[in-house]
Amino acid sequence: MLIVKNFLKTKNVQLDYPIQELERMKYKSQRMIPCPNSFFMRVKCPKCNQISILFSHSQTNVHCDKCQNLLCQTTGGKTKLTEGCTFKK
């Protein structure tokens, strides 16, 4: 937040059209248009190539429906994908 305040002091910034990099750095409720940090993603299993839709902040470990391979592990915030898994938003 200190970086944002220092940037606003040194630059002439229009508040009608905020800079996107500065908006992303702010906390989600402090943004001009509040939006969540979480999203749904399509994860591809490395063994059977089946695509599953997962939540980015899921609270349980998720396994593949076909081969029961572990796709992601919980951390405390965002989920951690296992090696070999690829995802798209």
Side-chain angles (χ1 to χ4, degrees), residues 5-51:
K5 289 180 182 177
N6 289 339
F7 184 80
L8 291 175
K9 288 180 185 177
T10 59
K11 301 284 183 177
N12 185 11
V13 178
Q14 291 182 354
L15 295 177
D16 295 340
Y17 304 102
I19 299 171
Q20 289 183 355
E21 292 87 24
L22 293 177
E23 284 294 309
R24 277 192 221 121
M25 291 171 60
K26 292 180 183 178
Y27 186 69
K28 63 183 178 181
S29 63
Q30 302 286 326
R31 296 178 189 146
M32 187 172 280
I33 301 172
C35 60
N37 295 330
S38 56
F39 53 90
F40 287 95
M41 56 186 175
R42 289 173 287 211
V43 178
K44 189 175 186 181
C45 179
K47 288 186 179 179
C48 64
N49 293 329
Q50 181 180 355
I51 296 176

Side-chain angles (χ1 to χ4, degrees), residues 56-67:
S56 64
H57 290 70
S58 65
Q59 297 179 353
T60 59
N61 293 338
V62 180
H63 298 275
C64 180
D65 292 334
K66 278 189 178 178
C67 62

